[in-house]
Amino acid sequence: MELLEIKHISKVYPNGVRALEDVSFTVEKGEFVSIIGLSGAGKSTLLRSINKLVEISSGEILFEGKNIALARGKDLRLMRRDMGMVFQSFNLVKRSKVITNVLAGRIAYHSSWRSILGLFPKEDKEIAFKALQRVNILEKSYSRADQLSGGQMQRVAIARSLAQEPKLLLADEPVASLDPLTTIQVMDDLKRINRELGITTLVNLHHVDLALKYSSRIIGLREGRLVFDGPAKDVDDSILELIYGRQLLSNEIFGEEHEQ
Amino acid sequence: MNSDRHLKELLPEKPSELKRNLSIFLLISIIYASGSFTNFSLSKLLGNLKEGADLLDRMFFPPDFAYAKRLLLPMLETIQISFVGTVIGSFFAIPIAVFSARNISANKSVGVFFRLFLNLFRTIPALVFAAFFASVFGFGSFSGMMALLVFTIGLVAKLTYEAIENIDPGPLEALTAAGAGQGAIFRYAIVPQVLPQFLSYVLYSFEINIRASAVLGYVGAGGIGEYYDRTLSFLKYDKAGTIVLLTFFVILAIDLISARLRARLI
């Protein structure tokens, strides 16, 4: 059954840039989908439209049958709660402890005064610790986030989104600031979470071969238009040329030599 | 040799230094003009050095240590006035800073209004506030406290809203994406990022307020300031020297304590 239906969405920024043009696709429960394309092709705008960090200009985005483009206030917050998001720059509060950062994923489960006072129930803390354990970083629970390495920070950020107990995970260039070895660990984490918890995952990726290796399905964007949507195994040189408009540069391929 | 010439040909044209030289010239002109406008004269400054040294001699060599005993209570009053004014003023500064910060303010015109309001606050000297409150509430420590309170709002709110404008927007985005409301975003994304700076501004304004309250004494706002007025109008320079020394030690103590606190906070 479809978890997410994107119907003819377009986005024009106030400065006139047309970031998305009539994009449509659906995502089934449990899928692991990578979105690829050049910088500026609209990958980030597409992902941010899904949880309404960016407001689309036209079209519909149905999440579990509800149009998030029309959702407001509490409805919107509850829909966002069901979608975790992981960012390129991790977006942790660096001066706060790891566990505090992860508990922030539980905020939308409670009334605002309760979360403002920091009165998280015991079960929430258990959920937070379990999320940290799932990404193998439980021992850092009481460290301050600014004491962690980049890879560790991204795992804490993944744990924060897991603490939301989401149905959909949106990852916007999750490995773009990481070194090759950590990249593999974080991608493995995302894949494992998708498989073990059945959380549907949508990832923006700069490196084509990572996308092909980890995802079952590829969506290709070029200048705001969807130019390819199909199984990863169908992607060949002619399709990559369709998406990228030219031969790939070496820095767009992650490279076999990093994979051990 | 050959490669040297090659490098010179490749180098882009050197940027003009005209702008920098003009700026230096302008700065020197302004300093000179200001000096002649205020009748600054080096010979006058050097010629009267002896008088200055004389005065310092009468103030501090030796100060009237016995007088210090009489100063302890008014000094305590000054500290109390400054403390209460700083704490309450800083408390009111928080919402004003939130409404003023361009990156989180919900409404553009509200932000403009509050920033204008803050500029107005800082334009008016504390002494004028003190005179104003003295005429409303009468002479005494309450008026002095009110003046410092208003002054603290202006200072702390301004510095804090600038700190808020400089925070990392990432956590705000992450919490919005997690479905958090405005209050929770403030508590979990903004407060942890600006808290150390905010507290350091509060401590700084406490120091300034202790010094300022000495001046406020002139308009009858209570505390140590009244004793400046008394001693200086009767030319009791050794007693005035004691007040300066005592104030110095109090400021020094506060500075030490706040340095410790700040080191622990950051």
Side-chain angles (χ1 to χ4, degrees), chain B residues 29 48 55-57 62 85 164 191 226 234 245 258 261:
Chain B
S29 311
N48 290 298
L55 188 62
L56 284 178
D57 185 50
I164 292 177
V191 169
E226 282 176 42
F234 291 99
L245 277 180
S258 56
L261 280 175

Side-chain angles (χ1 to χ4, degrees), chain A residues 30-35 47 84-88 90 131 134-136 151 153-162 166-176 178 182-206 210-211 213-216:
Chain A
E31 277 193 280
F32 193 107
V33 184
S34 287
I35 302 166
L47 218 60
M85 191 167 204
V86 176
F87 304 83
Q88 173 179 349
F90 326 132
R134 195 164 281 282
V135 289
N136 297 315
M153 283 197 206
Q154 192 59 298
R155 271 138 76 195
V156 172
I158 293 172
R160 174 176 61 193
S161 63
L162 283 184
K167 294 173 179 135
L168 174 67
L169 187 65
L170 306 167
D172 189 13
E173 300 279 3
V175 294
L178 302 178
T182 341
T183 292
I184 298 296
Q185 288 170 353
V186 166
M187 287 306 295
D188 283 345
D189 279 339
L190 289 175
K191 185 73 193 168
R192 194 158 37 79
I193 286 160
N194 166 253
R195 211 174 40 231
E196 290 175 5
L197 300 176
I199 297 174
T200 313
T201 306
L202 238 68
V203 193
N204 279 348
L205 282 173
H206 188 69
L210 279 182
K213 184 181 168 198
Y214 284 93
S215 41
S216 47

Side-chain angles (χ1 to χ4, degrees), chain A residues 48 51 53 77 80-81 83 85 87 91-96 100 104 107-108 115-116 118 120 144 160 164, chain B residues 168-171 173-181 183-185 187-189 191-193 195-196 265-266:
Chain A
R48 278 152 201 266
N51 61 4
L53 286 183
R77 290 206 301 277
R80 280 175 172 162
R81 185 185 76 185
M83 311 179 195
M85 191 167 204
F87 304 83
N91 290 356
L92 301 178
V93 181
K94 296 202 180 63
R95 294 192 61 263
S96 296
T100 313
I107 286 171
S115 28
I116 288 168
F120 290 101
R144 255 169 65 152
R160 174 176 61 193
Q164 287 172 234
Chain B
D168 171 13
E173 195 181 32
L175 284 176
T176 307
I185 290 175
R187 160 77 174 76
Y188 287 95
V191 169
Q193 291 197 65
L195 189 64
L265 286 168
I266 293 165

